[in-house]
Amino acid sequence: MDSANCFTYLLLISFLLVGSWFCAIEAQRSAPIVNGLSWTFYNSSCPNVESIIRKQLKKVFKEDIGQAAGLLRLHFHDCFVQGCDGSVLLDGSASGPSEQEAPPNLSLRKEAFEIIDDLRELVHKGCGRVVSCADIVAIAARDSVFLTGGPDYDVPLGRRDGVNFAQVNQTFVDLVGPDANTTILIKLARKNLDATDAVALSGAHTIGIGHCTSFTDRLYPTQDPTMDKTFANNLKLTCPKSDTSNTTFLDIRSPNKFDNKYYVDLMNRQGLFTSDQDLYTDKRTRGIVTSFAINEKLFFEKFVLSMIKMGQLNVLTGKQGEIRANCSLRNSDNKYLVSVTEEEMGSSAEMR
């Protein structure tokens, strides 16, 4: 295809995508939510919950914008393993190691857990113990997107906190590693997510960092042919050996801004992980990557829809689970728990 025809082709796609964007807006307004969740769940019991969280996160990100990626990733790792039940926040106990101790979760930022604890304390101080840790994680993830330049959107709320954490082996099954190919990513459909969702959610890599050990197999002993040579040479300066403990940005164009430049990176063969670059290499998802790269509004709309879908995976609602007094401890493990009966909490939820 010559340059003139290529330009015409891209222009045509752009017009088509604008139409798709308006359709996505309508879809977002009517996004289905599971029984037990609500767009207005805390309107009476804790109407300021979202403003409390956003105000605090503005302070946190002013000091260190990198924490946004850590909070967003925490939500992903919570939802994909056992559902969005806050189980990733639990410490280990006599019954076994926590999800945090599973190898795929070892790189989760310790500060992210501390930030969630701080948010929980602020929210419970303002409203009492009515907001679950799982909901706090979901709201913090949304604000991490918005406060770094991404779209703002409503989050359906009403999740309850799980009382069990997943087995270590389950985290390997449910979390996608950096060396995964597109076929593995597409298998996310088993969780009611499709290929478009997989590509859109991967766009979370537009912010954050990656550890050298997660991608040096693409550099040593031989360079991955799908990686741009200049990009690879620059990475070798950061990661001179395969076991280097250094880190680098996931998105070289705008590392601290939530935008569509991640997809531009992929089109230029500058995706950091195999799981990133293969989205453009694989013909099944290349068109989706291209559409997001040339139309940021479309990416934002699809990302929002995918986040809303992901945020409802296997949620606990109603009288299921609990509302933890401490996000890292089940209430039965908390020696300093102020007694509030589950029946009272259930009645409070029903009133909403």
Side-chain angles (χ1 to χ4, degrees), residues 90-99 101 163-165 328-330 333:
L90 288 171
D91 289 339
S93 67
S95 62
S98 70
E99 290 177 31
E101 297 173 70
V163 295
N164 298 303
F165 39 76
S328 62
L329 295 172
R330 294 171 291 197
D333 297 330

Side-chain angles (χ1 to χ4, degrees), residues 46-207:
C46 191
N48 296 325
V49 57
E50 295 187 58
S51 61
I52 292 172
I53 291 175
R54 182 164 292 189
K55 181 179 180 181
Q56 177 64 14
L57 289 182
K58 284 181 179 179
K59 296 178 182 179
V60 171
F61 298 159
K62 185 176 181 180
E63 294 293 323
D64 183 2
I65 192 63
Q67 298 303 330
L71 290 170
L72 181 56
R73 187 167 179 238
L74 191 64
H75 184 44
F76 275 67
H77 281 233
D78 182 33
C79 289
F80 279 117
V81 181
Q82 198 170 272
C84 310
D85 63 351
S87 59
V88 72
L89 304 174
L90 288 171
D91 289 339
S93 67
S95 62
S98 70
E99 290 177 31
Q100 297 171 35
E101 297 173 70
N105 286 331
L106 292 177
S107 59
L108 290 173
R109 298 192 187 203
K110 293 180 179 179
E111 296 91 339
F113 295 96
E114 295 169 359
I115 292 169
I116 295 298
D117 282 339
D118 291 341
L119 292 174
R120 187 269 308 162
E121 185 173 350
L122 289 170
V123 170
H124 288 189
K125 181 179 180 180
C127 301
R129 187 164 61 91
V130 296
V131 180
S132 68
C133 295
D135 273 350
I136 291 173
V137 170
I139 296 170
R142 185 274 311 279
D143 285 356
S144 295
V145 171
F146 175 66
L147 294 176
T148 53
D152 200 2
Y153 57 94
D154 292 329
V155 178
L157 300 170
R159 299 166 188 78
R160 302 273 287 186
D161 296 321
V163 295
N164 298 303
F165 39 76
Q167 298 297 313
V168 172
N169 288 342
Q170 194 62 40
T171 63
F172 283 102
V173 172
D174 290 335
L175 294 176
V176 176
D179 59 346
N181 58 29
T182 299
T183 296
I184 294 175
L185 284 172
I186 290 178
K187 287 182 179 179
L188 292 175
R190 73 183 188 277
K191 295 180 177 293
N192 299 318
L193 301 174
D194 57 26
T196 299
D197 294 317
V199 178
L201 292 174
S202 294
H205 282 179
T206 188
I207 57 175

